[in-house]
């Protein structure tokens, strides 16, 4: 029975490929809410018709971005979808995937193209429209087994992962509490491995106000915000290397209007990656020292916005048991797998922070994600769907050992 189920997936590559091309060619850059919704509708319809599950569609709060002058601009986001089945079963599995991509509506990268018979290039084919189809295929196959009765599951399709899941984070955290384990369909690491530990991440915006003055007539009356920002950036950069696993990257800087005016505004945005939870406090303290120093300058005032949106994903015993289950299943299918740590983060960080053990790279194999040469190894749609199906079947064989005390 198990073998025939797993083998049935092998026939599914042509329709999966066709659907993947269709989904990838609908632009769903995070801020293109209409495109995200289109992908969400198509997918949730496929989930509902193949899985006969409960479906809920939720609108999310707008995404707030801080402008140079400190004012806030709000971006509408696409809807989040929750699909679920058998909420009373003894074991509850949370499966998540994101609908958005990093490619905006006006990106030059909108179409799929075959690089060779095995390699399809296209926006989001790996990250992670391919993964969403793997999830659907695995659940559909699993549902044909009598063991399916032992597992209840919830699928979350969120619209804002690529900007750090600011508006879906609270729903992810809430859902994590009422499940036993998580399966996330981010693409595998470039060598096919699973991601183990993941760094935490925070995004910050520093805004400096100075005093404007005419560059020729009253230069001495001005207080140059850009020069103060240059000092701030240098000090932030010098924190690199001081603490193991902590990196700070200034990514965006702007300010000023014209060369004949002392600029009274400057802004920079930077990202911090952390290895362990305690790193956050250390960073906050170092930043405070730098800010105090800058703010001693007469006429200059620096304010810092932002926070650590994602805490590091550290592996506890429950995580390790789940990783072993996945690698055992993969070995059984003839594909030896292991896991390694990575500096990137994803919703796996969020679920871990809420106490839910999870494997977050169950999606497809491919590469060059977040670039215009993103590709998928097309055979991995089937391979990875077989892997997830087997994992679900193994979980269902012994639901008791995987269930935990839930909220
Ligand atoms: Zn992704």
């Amino acid at each position: 029975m198990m073998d025939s189920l797993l083998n049935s997936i092998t026939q599914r590559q042509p329709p999966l490929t066709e659907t993947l091309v269709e989904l990838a060619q609908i632009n769903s850059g995070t801020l293109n809410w209409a495109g995200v919704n289109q992908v969400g509708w198509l997918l949730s319809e496929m989930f509902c018709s193949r899985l006969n599950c409960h479906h809920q569609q939720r609108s999310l709060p707008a995404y707030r971005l801080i402008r140079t002058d400190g004012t806030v601009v709000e971006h509408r986001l696409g809807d989040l979808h929750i699909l679920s089945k058998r909420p009373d079963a003894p074991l509850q599995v949370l499966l998540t995937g994101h609908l958005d991509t990093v490619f905006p509506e006006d990106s030059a990268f909108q179409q799929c193209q075959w690089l060779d018979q095995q390699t399809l290039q296209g926006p989001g084919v790996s990250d992670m429209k391919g993964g969403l189809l793997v999830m659907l295929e695995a659940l559909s196959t699993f549902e044909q087994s009598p063991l399916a009765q032992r597992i209840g599951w919830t699928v979350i399709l969120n619209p804002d992962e690529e900007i750090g899941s600011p508006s879906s984070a609270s729903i992810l955290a809430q859902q994590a509490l009422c499940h036993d384990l998580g399966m996330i369909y981010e693409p595998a690491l470039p060598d096919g491995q699973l991601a183990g530990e993941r760094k935490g991440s925070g995004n910050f915006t520093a805004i400096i106000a100075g005093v404007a003055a005419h560059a020729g007539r009253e230069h001495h009356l001005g207080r140059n915000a850009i020069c103060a920002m240059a000092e701030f950036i240098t000090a932030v950069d010098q924190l690199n290397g001081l603490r193991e696993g902590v990196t700070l990257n200034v990514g965006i800087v702007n300010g000023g209007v014209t060369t004949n005016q002392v600029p009274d505004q400057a802004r920079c945005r930077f990202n911090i990656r952390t290895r362990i939870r305690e790193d956050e406090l250390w960073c906050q303290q170092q930043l405070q020292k730098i800010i105090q120093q800058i703010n001693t300058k007469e006429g200059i005032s620096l304010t810092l916005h932002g926070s650590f949106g994602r805490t590091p994903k550290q592996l506890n015993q429950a995580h390790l048991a789940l990783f072993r289950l996945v690698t055992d299943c993969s070995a059984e299918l003839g594909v030896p797998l292991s896991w390694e740590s990575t500096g990137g983060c994803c919703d796996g960080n969020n679920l871990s922070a809420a106490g839910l053990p999870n494997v977050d790279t169950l999606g497809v194999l491919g590469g060059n994600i977040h670039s215009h040469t993103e590709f998928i190894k097309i055979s991995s749609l089937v391979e990875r769907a077989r892997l997830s199906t087997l994992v679900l079947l193994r979980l269902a064989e012994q639901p008791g050992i995987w269930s935990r005390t839930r909220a």
Side-chain angles (χ1 to χ4, degrees), residues 98 127-128 161-162 186-187:
H98 59 85
D127 184 15
M128 62 180 282
E161 194 278 338
E162 293 293 3
E186 290 291 348

Side-chain angles (χ1 to χ4, degrees), residues 98 100 126-128 161-162 185-187 345-346 369-370:
H98 59 85
D100 60 327
S126 251
D127 184 15
M128 62 180 282
E161 194 278 338
E162 293 293 3
Y185 286 81
E186 290 291 348
C345 13
C346 73
I369 61 169
H370 295 195

Side-chain angles (χ1 to χ4, degrees), residues 11 45 60 105 140 207 306 367-368 396:
Q11 323 298 323
E45 206 141 276
L60 297 183
E105 206 172 354
S140 306
I207 295 171
N368 299 351

Side-chain angles (χ1 to χ4, degrees), residues 30-297:
T30 314
L31 301 187
N32 176 12
W33 62 268
V36 172
N37 275 348
Q38 207 186 333
V39 173
W41 289 324
L42 277 171
L43 271 165
S44 54
E45 206 141 276
M46 287 185 233
F47 274 83
C48 287
S49 72
R50 290 187 66 188
L51 297 164
N52 187 28
C53 52
H54 181 255
H55 178 213
Q56 229 187 317
Q57 183 171 342
R58 292 211 205 160
S59 55
L60 297 183
Y63 169 52
R64 294 159 61 85
L65 203 66
I66 297 165
R67 285 210 193 94
T68 323
D69 57 3
T71 59
V72 170
V73 55
E74 294 200 336
H75 292 281
R76 179 172 171 181
L77 294 171
D79 292 341
L80 176 143
H81 296 262
I82 302 178
L83 303 119
S84 57
K85 196 159 173 124
R86 290 185 298 275
D88 299 322
L91 185 69
Q92 293 293 319
V93 180
L94 180 62
L95 302 97
T96 80
H98 59 85
L99 300 163
D100 60 327
T101 71
V102 297
F103 306 106
E105 206 172 354
D106 59 358
S107 161
F109 191 41
Q110 304 284 358
Q111 296 296 310
C112 291
Q113 187 192 344
W114 288 97
L115 299 181
D116 60 50
Q117 281 191 333
Q118 266 305 308
T119 317
L120 178 71
Q121 177 179 284
V125 288
S126 251
D127 184 15
M128 62 180 282
K129 289 170 178 171
L132 295 170
L133 293 178
V134 167
M135 187 205 290
L136 171 59
E137 197 59 30
L139 282 173
S140 306
T141 313
F142 174 68
E143 284 297 321
Q144 294 166 37
S145 161
L147 289 177
Q149 299 309 315
R150 300 182 182 177
I151 293 187
W153 48 259
T154 304
V155 167
I156 295 182
L157 306 175
N158 61 343
D160 59 346
E161 194 278 338
E162 293 293 3
I163 53 171
S165 305
S167 297
S168 59
S170 62
I171 295 177
L172 290 169
Q174 209 180 350
Q175 290 286 336
L177 296 179
C178 44
H179 288 80
D180 296 295
L181 48 94
M183 298 170 73
I184 302 182
Y185 286 81
E186 290 291 348
L189 297 182
D191 53 0
Q193 305 295 23
L194 302 170
E197 287 174 330
R198 285 181 181 272
K199 284 193 173 181
S201 172
N203 285 310
F204 297 85
T205 304
I207 295 171
I208 295 186
V211 179
H214 190 280
R217 283 186 293 180
E218 296 182 325
H219 185 265
H220 63 287
L221 296 180
R223 296 293 177 264
N224 194 313
I226 292 177
C227 293
M229 185 58 85
E231 280 182 45
F232 175 74
I233 289 171
T234 306
V236 166
D237 187 56
Q238 281 169 352
L239 296 177
N240 281 305
L242 294 187
R243 192 172 163 100
E244 191 197 338
V246 174
T247 56
L248 301 96
N249 182 61
V250 178
I252 303 173
V253 57
N254 44 33
V257 184
T258 171
T259 54
N260 62 6
Q261 185 194 51
V262 177
D264 64 348
Q265 285 287 344
R267 177 187 78 148
C268 87
R269 301 193 70 205
F270 58 100
N271 176 264
I272 303 181
R273 298 285 160 140
T274 52
R275 188 177 61 90
I276 54 172
R277 192 95 203 228
E278 292 71 31
D279 295 338
E280 293 176 10
L281 182 62
W282 181 84
C283 290
Q284 308 270 24
Q285 288 168 342
Q286 301 301 314
L287 289 172
Q288 277 317 314
K289 276 190 218 163
I290 297 171
I291 293 166
Q292 273 169 14
Q293 177 63 30
I294 300 281
N295 281 341
T296 57
K297 296 173 191 296

